[in-house]
Amino acid sequence: MVESTYTVKALDQSTWPAFAALVERNNGVFGGCWCMGFHPEGVGKGTTPALNRERKLGRVRAETAHAALVFDEDDCVGWCQFGVPDEVPRIKSRAAYEKGRTTSPDWRIACCFVGKGHRRRGAVTAALAGALDLIAGLGGGSVEGYPEDAGSVPAGFLYNGALSTYEKLGFIRDRKIGKHRWVVTRVVGPRS
C-alpha cells in the first residue's frame, strides 16, 4: 500500500468545484448519483445525473450536505459523506437495520468514494478520520457506519467502506444487518 500525505477539507461552497471535478472525472459516480443516494431525495427512477448534481449543489448551498473531502495537493481524490439521520436517512438493509435498532445515532456515515488511480493508498482512511474530526467540530456524538467485510465485495463497490477501516479508527461492531454488512458505532467527543 502506498501512503500519501492527504489534507481533508469540509464540503462547502468553496470546495464544491474540486468535489464536482472529482465526480465529473468519475462519470457522475455510480451512474450519476452525485452522492445523493442517501439523501431524502434519493436517486433512480425520475432522476438524472444533471438533476442529482443540481440537488447536491443546492444542499451544499443550504449547508445540508456534509462530507470530508480528501485532497492530494489541489486535487480532490475522495470523500466520506456523513450527516444527521434526517439528512441521510436512506441506508442499505433498512428492514434489518430497523429490526435490531434500539437507539438512533447523532450522526451517520453514509458513503465513501475514492477516484480511480487513488484507491488503496489510504484515502478512505483519511476521509473517514476527517469525517470524525469534522463531527467533533460540530459537537460530536454517537456515530454509526454500515461497512461491509472487504473480502466479500469488489473494492469499487465498497461505497459504505470496509469494516477493517472502521475498526482501525475505533468503531465497534454492533450488529450484522446483511450477509456482509454491519452496523458499527463509535462515540466522538466534541472538539475542545
Side-chain angles (χ1 to χ4, degrees), residues 73-102:
E73 297 183 9
D74 293 331
D75 213 12
C76 182
V77 299
W79 71 74
C80 179
Q81 180 189 42
F82 65 95
V84 297
D86 287 346
E87 201 174 272
V88 285
R90 296 172 171 265
I91 60 174
K92 299 290 181 181
S93 308
R94 185 63 180 218
Y97 172 82
E98 290 296 339
K99 190 175 188 179
R101 185 169 67 94
T102 57

Side-chain angles (χ1 to χ4, degrees), residues 29-188:
V29 179
F30 301 117
C33 173
W34 275 86
C35 207
M36 284 298 297
F38 296 95
H39 286 301
E41 301 91 336
V43 296
K45 193 174 183 178
T47 65
T48 65
L51 178 60
N52 293 336
R53 182 189 194 284
E54 180 184 317
R55 286 177 170 171
K56 188 66 171 193
L57 180 55
R59 283 190 158 275
V60 169
R61 287 179 175 150
E63 299 179 0
T64 59
H66 292 89
L69 304 182
V70 178
F71 285 81
D72 185 359
E73 297 183 9
D74 293 331
D75 213 12
C76 182
V77 299
W79 71 74
C80 179
Q81 180 189 42
F82 65 95
V84 297
D86 287 346
E87 201 174 272
V88 285
R90 296 172 171 265
I91 60 174
K92 299 290 181 181
S93 308
R94 185 63 180 218
Y97 172 82
E98 290 296 339
K99 190 175 188 179
R101 185 169 67 94
T102 57
T103 62
S104 292
D106 297 310
W107 299 93
R108 284 190 171 135
I109 304 294
C111 69
C112 301
F113 178 80
V114 175
K116 296 171 189 166
H118 296 279
R119 296 179 183 145
R120 300 189 191 282
R121 296 181 179 184
V124 168
T125 302
L128 183 55
L132 296 174
D133 183 58
L134 291 171
I135 288 168
L138 293 166
S142 61
V143 182
E144 274 186 355
Y146 316 99
E148 299 197 45
D149 290 326
S152 65
V153 178
F157 293 95
L158 281 171
Y159 51 84
N160 287 115
L163 179 61
S164 60
T165 304
Y166 282 78
E167 289 178 330
K168 183 173 22 174
L169 292 173
F171 283 83
I172 58 168
R173 297 178 192 199
D174 180 63
R175 65 192 186 279
K176 213 168 188 183
I177 57 170
K179 186 174 180 182
H180 305 287
R181 187 179 313 280
W182 289 84
V183 174
V184 294
T185 62
R186 178 180 163 177
V187 174
V188 173

